[in-house]
């Protein structure tokens, strides 16, 4: 084997390893639809937007989905979700929590606050009225 072949093989090995590392890091961010989603960090789940009430979790609604799509919550603790739909360029005219029987309109350009107190641990899903955009609370 020539030295140039060994260097080329080493380069291919490094590129392959970097590719594997990238896939390994990005795979947990892919949801079922194949889009990348952002998970709200557990210690930093309280965010204030320009018009979001203090202590609420701001959830942006776009044509890609809910952001963040996964929100940590505590069983028995009240949680305020402030949904913001900047425009009507998506199907999310409303947000639905099927497991709780909650349905709220999401008018474009306005914040809609949904008060929830999850009673038990586990995932608690929410979706748009057409069931195309989905998110979940991770209740512990």
């Amino acid at each position: 084997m020539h030295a140039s072949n060994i260097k080329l093989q080493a380069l291919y090995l490094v590129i392959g390893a970097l590719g594997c590392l990238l896939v390994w890091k990005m795979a947990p961010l892919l949801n079922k639809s194949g889009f990348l989603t952002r998970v709200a960090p557990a210690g930093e789940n309280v965010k204030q937007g320009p018009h979001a009430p203090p202590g609420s979790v701001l959830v942006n609604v776009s044509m890609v989905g809910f952001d963040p799509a996964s929100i940590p919550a505590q069983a028995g603790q009240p949680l305020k979700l402030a949904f913001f739909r900047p425009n009507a360029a998506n199907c999310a005219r409303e947000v639905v929590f099927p497991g709780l029987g909650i349905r709220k309109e999401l008018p474009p350009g306005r914040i809609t606050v949904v008060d929830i107190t999850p009673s038990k641990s586990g995932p608690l899903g929410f979706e748009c009225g057409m069931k195309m955009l989905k998110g979940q609370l991770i209740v512990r």
Side-chain angles (χ1 to χ4, degrees), residues 18-97:
L18 288 174
C20 289
L21 180 65
L22 179 66
V23 169
W24 179 66
K25 288 291 191 179
M26 296 299 288
L29 299 177
L30 292 175
N31 65 13
K32 292 177 186 172
S33 66
F35 288 106
L36 290 177
T37 58
R38 184 175 63 87
V39 177
E44 301 172 13
N45 65 342
V46 178
K47 295 183 179 180
Q48 292 184 22
H51 303 98
S56 65
V57 177
L58 181 62
V59 181
N60 289 299
V61 185
S62 70
M63 57 193 300
V64 179
F66 297 102
D67 182 26
S70 182
I71 302 165
Q74 295 290 326
Q77 297 292 319
L79 178 65
K80 284 182 187 267
L81 299 174
F83 290 89
F84 179 65
R85 181 178 174 220
N87 54 47
N90 58 54
C91 66
R93 292 187 178 133
E94 60 186 356
V95 64
V96 180
F97 289 82

Side-chain angles (χ1 to χ4, degrees), residues 1-10:
M1 256 192 186
H2 297 334
S4 62
N5 283 345
I6 293 173
K7 288 180 183 177
L8 192 58
Q9 287 179 348

